Amino acid sequence: MYLMKDIVRDGDPVLRKRAAKVEFPLSDEDQELAKKMMEYLEVSQDPELCEKYELRAGVGLAAPQVGVSKQMSAVLVPSDEEDGEPVFKDVIINPVIVSESVQLAALSEGEGCLSVDKDIPGYVPRHDRITLRYQSTDGETHTIRLKHYPAIVCQHEIDHLHGVLFYDHINKEDPFEAPEGTILIG
Ligand code: SB9
Ligand code: NI
């Protein structure tokens, strides 16, 4: 199981590289990677296990964050209700945003990243709605529409596969300035 010591931190060049496409059928190694990334999210979102293993809770984890430069990210956006079905749960492989809304959105609390140890305040403007195409571990191609929070999380994860970190998007002059019309979420 991945622990915080396995998470690559900002400054490591792997976080700034473009990750390589993943070939199908998945190798045993890639299958294991997918499983372990999702396991991290599941364990990190269980308050007791999170504390026991000294994890930071996360809703996403990209392969470069565990030192593997491949286009694979695990996403687990929990339900708003206790014990509800997750809003989105999958390992997204070779993801592409095929269309995006002009409407921008940012989390009112800003974003954080398991690879960035300090708090970097500011709005991270992203597309409010996206159409995402990706492959799941079984090789199936999925095309799905996401909006608001799950769309923001997926854009953060896809950025990792392109060597981009959340703070790259924060306005340098005024961190809480976002393009006109950006809606705030959360
Ligand atoms: C928030 N968290 C994430 C993405 C967008 C917004 C609050 C995921 C954080 C974990 N992480 O670093 C994944 O790449
Ligand atoms: Ni991140």
Side-chain angles (χ1 to χ4, degrees):
M1 183 176 104
Y2 290 127
L3 298 172
M4 285 313 292
K5 67 168 171 57
D6 302 306
I7 307 287
V8 168
R9 304 307 158 88
D10 195 8
D12 189 312
V14 73
L15 293 175
R16 291 305 192 174
K17 284 213 306 203
R18 232 194 129 78
K21 276 208 149 168
V22 175
E23 306 272 0
F24 282 85
L26 288 191
S27 65
D28 290 352
E29 186 191 351
D30 287 347
Q31 197 83 55
E32 185 68 13
L33 174 66
K35 206 174 107 184
K36 286 177 71 179
M37 291 200 305
M38 186 57 81
E39 180 188 33
Y40 178 93
L41 301 181
E42 291 168 345
V43 172
S44 81
Q45 289 179 23
D46 178 313
E48 269 144 46
L49 294 176
C50 185
E51 190 177 315
K52 176 173 175 197
Y53 293 110
E54 301 182 290
L55 306 180
R56 253 181 82 188
V59 289
L61 182 65
Q65 294 184 278
V66 292
V68 179
S69 194
K70 288 183 181 174
Q71 290 184 29
M72 186 191 290
S73 297
V75 179
L76 177 50
V77 178
S79 168
D80 327 305
E81 296 145 50
E82 219 180 326
D83 300 322
E85 285 293 303
V87 172
F88 184 72
K89 178 179 185 180
D90 213 349
V91 176
I92 60 172
I93 300 171
N94 303 325
V96 179
I97 294 171
V98 293
S99 73
E100 56 202 26
S101 62
V102 173
Q103 176 71 62
L104 301 179
L107 298 180
S108 56
E109 307 284 313
E111 294 187 16
C113 181
L114 295 171
S115 297
V116 178
D117 287 328
K118 59 175 173 151
D119 240 42
I120 304 184
Y123 294 143
V124 181
R126 299 193 183 275
H127 301 287
D128 182 47
R129 299 180 304 278
I130 59 173
T131 302
L132 179 65
R133 185 164 298 154
Y134 69 94
Q135 288 166 289
S136 45
T137 55
D138 58 7
E140 281 298 306
T141 299
H142 303 252
T143 305
I144 59 162
R145 290 166 66 174
L146 295 170
K147 60 182 179 186
H148 311 323
Y149 186 64
I152 287 174
V153 172
C154 285
Q155 288 170 82
H156 177 120
E157 297 317 316
I158 292 168
D159 270 353
H160 275 302
L161 308 180
H162 299 155
V164 174
L165 294 172
F166 74 97
Y167 61 77
D168 299 343
H169 299 291
I170 298 176
N171 185 308
K172 301 290 173 298
E173 278 82 53
D174 181 358
F176 288 101
E177 171 84 39
E180 182 128 338
T182 302
I183 60 169
L184 294 180
I185 286 173

